[in-house]
Amino acid sequence: MAEITLEKITKVYPDGTRAVSELDLEIEDGEFVVFVGPSGCGKTTALRMIAGLEEITEGTIRIGGEVVNDLPPKDRDVAMVFQNYALYPHMSAFDNMAFALKLRDVPRIERMRRVNDAASMLGLADVLRKRPRTLSGGQRQRVAMGRAIVREPQAFLMDEPLSNLDAKLRVQMRAEIARIQRDLSVTTIYVTHDQSEAMTLGDRVAVMRRGELLQLAPPQALYSEPVNLFVAEFIGSPAMNLVEATVDDGHARMGPHRLTIDGARPGLAAYKGKRVAIGIRPEDLEDAAVADETREDAILDAVVDIREDMGSEVFVHFGIDATPVSTEDVREAAEEAAIEPERRQYVARVSRESRAREGDPVRLAVRTDRLHFFDLESGARIA
Ligand code: ATP
């Protein structure tokens, strides 16, 4: 086990593509860090540099305190799990797991112990004699995990290991990976483009875009204090509602709507009379009739477009007379989070007691103490 430190890691490919730019990151011993971001943001490249599969253009990588820049992959004592787990088809599950140990001259008894331990941890004990072809997708993925576990490495590096599995299996394996990582306490870096996977797995989540690290924080902090509009839109499902507004004395105006701004917001002083972006999480809106909210400046008068009954709660997609924020950041994040264009209107997550009906007006109470503010030009969070 080991901490992993990245110091100003940069990767420029021979064709001039700058895939990773001055990435700084300190990962603690035993920590689970997830790299998440849109396709092409550089997360795989970053992981491959740590594994030693990609040369580092600039910067320093340390694993367990040792600079590994010039160490070949096999000497870095890390185990990779890939999306295409590429098991040897002619070998049994057991041999697939034991193979790397054999190459390292681990004695037979020790090989058997490690493989059997991993197999029982992964629920593979009964299928160890089977060839990959005769295993289910989930079992194959477990064998690939087992192959990494038996090596007892200093770190696991996982690149979208679940993306070949169907949705249900993915969620199940996700829980297993979390459990195994906790049990073994092996430092783990996990790459995914799926924000919900990132949020459920990571002790901390690193959001990347265009080769740069935008924010590194525990899931809760990422959710409650996104550093910019990109992270705000990208993290959370359904996504944050983002509306253009102007701020004046303690209020925000969005078209004909006016909301009070609760709490001290010193950062907003510089924006008086200017346009900003306001962010409202769907769960910070409630049907005013249910919430018993009467303050006019904590209510949005809206019209229900779609009512989606989820059983435990209701998603109310609504329209208001205000301009949605549609900067490049927000559009890119929405596309990446696969938010369908017709779902990109505003949404509230209200109580199932709400009687809001499609086509009808609805009054939505806003948690005005939980509003998020962003600079429209730079996209940066206003503290
Ligand atoms: P994905 O989720 O699609 O795998 P990613 O975030 O992992 O994306 P990378 O694969 O690290 O992104 O790629 C980062 C950037 O580097 C992309 O613009 C990609 O086109 C480019 N890139 C990757 N490999 C090479 C290469 N061998 N030569 C040139 N450019 C490359």
Side-chain angles (χ1 to χ4, degrees):
M1 283 180 282
E3 71 276 0
I4 298 177
T5 315
L6 312 184
E7 251 177 57
K8 299 221 174 310
I9 293 298
T10 296
K11 176 68 184 186
V12 182
Y13 282 108
D15 68 357
T17 305
R18 201 176 170 85
V20 175
S21 261
E22 305 200 346
L23 182 58
D24 276 320
L25 207 57
E26 276 183 37
I27 299 167
E28 286 167 33
D29 186 11
E31 196 179 13
F32 197 141
V33 168
V34 180
F35 291 177
V36 68
S39 180
C41 71
K43 49 198 190 295
T44 294
T45 301
L47 194 76
R48 288 173 58 86
M49 284 195 283
I50 299 167
L53 301 171
E54 206 66 72
E55 225 173 276
I56 305 162
T57 310
E58 267 173 61
T60 309
I61 298 181
R62 288 190 179 79
I63 300 177
E66 185 192 0
V67 175
V68 298
N69 284 37
D70 299 320
L71 277 188
K74 65 175 177 46
D75 296 333
R76 294 195 185 190
D77 198 13
V78 297
M80 291 271 304
V81 183
F82 296 97
Q83 171 178 354
N84 296 314
Y85 23 87
L87 303 176
Y88 300 109
H90 59 286
M91 284 186 197
S92 66
F94 184 99
D95 289 338
N96 262 288
M97 287 197 258
F99 188 64
L101 302 180
K102 211 167 172 180
L103 288 183
R104 285 174 169 73
D105 293 324
V106 175
R108 207 178 89 88
I109 301 282
E110 175 67 7
R111 289 203 303 264
M112 294 200 41
R113 182 193 66 77
R114 290 203 205 171
V115 173
N116 285 324
D117 283 357
S120 67
M121 177 178 278
L122 292 160
L124 288 172
D126 295 337
V127 296
L128 282 175
R129 292 285 140 228
K130 288 187 139 191
R131 300 261 171 104
R133 182 169 46 79
T134 65
L135 296 172
S136 71
Q139 288 169 332
R140 276 180 232 157
Q141 185 54 48
R142 287 191 185 90
V143 175
M145 283 285 297
R147 213 165 37 175
I149 291 169
V150 297
R151 288 188 38 205
E152 299 180 355
Q154 295 212 63
F156 293 132
L157 305 179
M158 305 193 186
D159 191 355
E160 307 245 8
L162 305 182
S163 53
N164 281 343
L165 305 178
D166 65 49
K168 191 168 160 215
L169 202 50
R170 210 154 56 217
V171 171
Q172 189 187 332
M173 284 297 296
R174 189 197 281 180
E176 268 183 50
I177 288 180
R179 175 181 59 83
I180 290 165
Q181 200 273 345
R182 260 199 315 275
D183 287 353
L184 299 173
S185 313
V186 176
T187 311
T188 300
I189 306 179
Y190 187 107
V191 161
T192 180
H193 63 274
D194 179 342
Q195 63 89 23
S196 65
E197 203 161 283
M199 294 293 275
T200 49
L201 279 175
D203 292 323
R204 285 189 297 164
V205 175
V207 183
M208 293 181 66
R209 186 191 186 201
R210 297 181 186 159
E212 289 183 11
L213 177 66
L214 296 184
Q215 189 167 11
L216 171 69
Q220 256 325 311
L222 213 55
Y223 190 79
S224 55
E225 287 186 26
V227 289
N228 58 29
L229 282 170
F230 181 86
V231 179
E233 175 77 12
F234 187 60
I235 299 289
S237 176
M240 187 186 280
N241 300 291
L242 291 164
V243 195
E244 286 192 18
T246 43
V247 288
D248 55 35
D249 286 327
H251 286 88
R253 286 174 194 281
M254 301 129 58
H257 310 279
R258 198 172 100 116
L259 290 179
T260 184
I261 301 171
D262 280 340
R265 303 277 192 164
L268 279 180
Y271 289 87
K272 216 166 144 185
K274 293 193 186 137
R275 298 195 71 68
V276 296
I278 282 198
I280 310 173
R281 290 270 180 216
E283 65 274 23
D284 293 334
L285 291 163
E286 179 56 275
D287 187 328
V290 177
D292 217 10
E293 178 62 79
T294 50
R295 293 176 303 155
E296 277 306 313
D297 56 5
I299 289 178
L300 289 177
D301 280 301
V303 175
V304 180
D305 288 328
I306 303 170
R307 177 189 164 110
E308 268 182 317
D309 222 313
M310 313 301 285
S312 59
E313 60 192 352
V314 176
F315 291 169
V316 172
H317 299 263
F318 63 92
I320 47 171
D321 191 7
T323 313
V325 175
S326 180
T327 60
E328 198 190 332
D329 289 358
V330 171
R331 284 198 306 272
E332 191 183 324
E335 268 162 39
E336 193 54 38
I339 303 168
E340 303 152 34
E342 65 270 23
R343 282 277 182 282
R344 281 186 207 166
Q345 77 270 64
Y346 308 115
V347 57
R349 217 169 156 160
V350 304
S351 158
R352 61 182 175 182
E353 281 147 46
S354 166
R355 300 226 179 90
R357 284 192 315 188
E358 287 179 17
D360 281 358
V362 63
R363 310 197 78 212
L364 294 168
V366 183
R367 286 287 305 255
T368 48
D369 55 332
R370 294 217 192 129
L371 297 175
H372 303 257
F373 294 90
F374 303 91
D375 185 300
L376 260 180
E377 301 249 319
S378 69
R381 179 180 192 83
I382 303 169

